Amino acid sequence: MSTPPPDASAAAEPGAPGLLDAVRSACRLRHYSIRTETAYASWARRFCLFHRDAGGRPRHPEAMAEPEVVAFLAHLAEDRQVASSTQNQALAAILFLYEAVLDRPLDSLGAFPRAKRPKRLPVVLTRQEVEAVLSRLDGTHRLVASLLYGSGLRLLEGLRLRVKDVGLAEGHLVVREGKGDRDRVTVLPSVLAEPLRTQLDYVRALHARDVAAGQGSVYLPTAVARKYPGAATETGWQYVFPASRLSHDPRSGARRRHHLTESPIQKAVRRAAQAAGVEKPVSPHAFRHSFATHMLERGADIRTVQELLGHKDVRTTEIYTHVLNRGVRGVVSPLDGL
């Protein structure tokens, strides 16, 4: 007689031990980011809750297979009409669940309705619009947004900058563990040297107060924390944009000072764009798009822009050649020739 699968309702309910803890443990074993860990656990829970037995209880993945996976993915595409990236994340999470947690890799899933990935051009601001939005920001919000535009950073890359990675003398920033877990070096605008120097002085003073209070620790990548356990309290490893309060690490429970969160920056940029009368849907990422486009407009080589942005494939960078401020693909309308 076969052993019945673990209690699915307990495994799928929020905060219950079992399946979700196993997903988190498998993610940590593979050094996945906390965001990936949270997303994979959430999708495992939603997958179980979607499939219920006759009594209305969530079914355990051990009791399901490819047909249930296909049905869940089809539900996301057809009923929920999720974005293609969301459906792909759900698929990756469930494949991970069966392979890494249940040790039962799925066979071919066959054909199922896939959410279509629309082709979208990035939102790019003119130089005048960039200046207008930045002028309506102040303090840390303005410095972060200026770095996104001046150095081509993603928002999280800017917020995760460490003191040691700001090269004021060299005029560059070192971006660690960017998208695809790749490091790169990008330009540091000279006009931001003085504001960044002031920000670093603030970080050093704040860190000194934390250390004096018996705190001063910061999150470190796993390998660094293991090899250099004392590095967590070194000034060089502190975040350039620290949070105003200490918080507890969701994994270790340690009380640390993390970096600023994304939401306040996103809201500040939206408010500044509205105040500036910019009618485009402006988000912090629009500054990165504008950096790339304006670099190409100024004659920068596309391979150079690719390296500064950290794109793995130059075809990703080529999207900005379609939004250059030269008309559509450089074509002049025949109406303008009349």
Side-chain angles (χ1 to χ4, degrees):
M1 184 176 179
S2 61
T3 304
D7 181 13
S9 59
E13 288 304 317
L19 179 68
L20 302 189
D21 285 345
V23 172
R24 297 185 185 100
S25 178
C27 287
R28 294 173 191 182
L29 184 65
R30 290 158 179 79
H31 306 298
Y32 287 0
S33 71
I34 185 66
R35 292 187 169 215
T36 301
E37 175 186 320
T38 302
Y40 279 17
S42 175
W43 282 118
R45 177 179 178 275
R46 291 174 65 177
F47 176 57
C48 293
L49 291 172
F50 177 74
H51 292 287
R52 297 177 181 269
D53 60 21
R57 295 175 303 177
R59 296 172 64 190
H60 195 280
E62 283 282 13
M64 298 185 281
E66 287 83 353
E68 287 80 7
V69 174
V70 170
F72 179 62
L73 296 173
H75 160 73
L76 294 177
E78 296 179 334
D79 301 330
R80 298 297 303 276
Q81 297 184 345
V82 301
S84 60
S85 57
T86 302
Q87 190 190 45
N88 289 336
Q89 185 188 68
L91 173 59
I94 295 173
L95 291 176
F96 177 83
L97 170 66
Y98 276 91
E99 181 174 352
V101 179
L102 303 178
D103 194 23
R104 204 187 90 195
L106 295 174
D107 295 328
S108 174
L109 294 177
F112 60 90
R114 289 185 177 272
K116 294 183 179 180
R117 188 183 185 98
K119 292 184 178 181
R120 301 279 190 243
L121 291 176
V123 174
V124 175
L125 307 176
T126 65
R127 289 185 178 83
Q128 293 74 20
E129 288 170 337
V130 170
E131 185 176 6
V133 175
L134 291 179
S135 68
R136 286 164 175 79
L137 294 168
D138 51 30
T140 303
H141 294 163
R142 179 167 184 167
L143 181 54
V144 172
S146 297
L147 276 175
L148 304 187
Y149 175 65
S151 303
L153 303 181
R154 300 176 179 91
L155 178 54
L156 263 181
E157 291 175 344
L159 297 178
R160 287 173 175 169
L161 280 175
R162 311 269 186 162
V163 171
K164 66 182 182 62
D165 295 325
V166 178
L168 292 176
E170 300 89 343
H172 70 223
L173 299 174
V174 180
V175 179
R176 308 282 183 183
E177 298 179 327
K179 191 172 182 179
D181 199 25
R182 293 188 295 272
D183 295 351
R184 73 180 190 276
V185 177
T186 188
V187 61
L188 172 61
S190 58
V191 296
L192 294 183
E194 195 55 40
L196 271 175
R197 188 173 285 108
T198 301
Q199 178 68 16
L200 295 180
D201 288 341
Y202 162 74
V203 172
R204 295 184 184 102
L206 178 63
H207 180 56
R209 291 198 298 271
D210 285 347
V211 171
Q215 300 292 335
S217 179
V218 71
Y219 166 79
L220 294 178
T222 306
V224 177
R226 184 170 56 249
K227 191 173 182 180
Y228 306 105
T233 56
E234 293 178 2
T235 304
W237 281 98
Q238 304 306 305
Y239 289 112
V240 175
F241 300 106
S244 59
R245 293 178 294 181
L246 300 176
S247 59
H248 288 90
D249 188 291
R251 287 177 168 174
S252 67
R255 195 161 182 256
R256 296 169 172 156
R257 190 176 294 280
H258 203 49
H259 58 69
L260 290 177
T261 57
E262 300 160 279
S263 181
I265 309 295
Q266 293 166 335
K267 292 177 180 177
V269 168
R270 283 197 294 269
R271 288 195 300 266
Q274 291 170 356
V278 178
E279 296 177 339
K280 298 173 183 176
V282 181
S283 70
H285 208 62
F287 289 119
R288 174 175 161 89
H289 293 321
S290 303
F291 164 85
T293 305
H294 298 168
M295 286 284 289
L296 292 171
E297 282 181 343
R298 292 166 66 93
D301 179 77
I302 193 168
R303 294 287 182 179
T304 301
V305 177
Q306 176 194 356
E307 292 179 7
L308 294 176
L309 293 174
H311 287 162
K312 185 176 181 180
D313 194 322
V314 72
R315 286 176 294 184
T316 307
T317 317
E318 286 175 350
I319 187 67
Y320 298 108
T321 63
H322 299 303
V323 291
L324 290 177
N325 191 21
R326 301 170 186 161
V328 180
R329 298 180 184 269
V331 174
V332 177
S333 169
L335 182 62
D336 291 328
L338 296 181

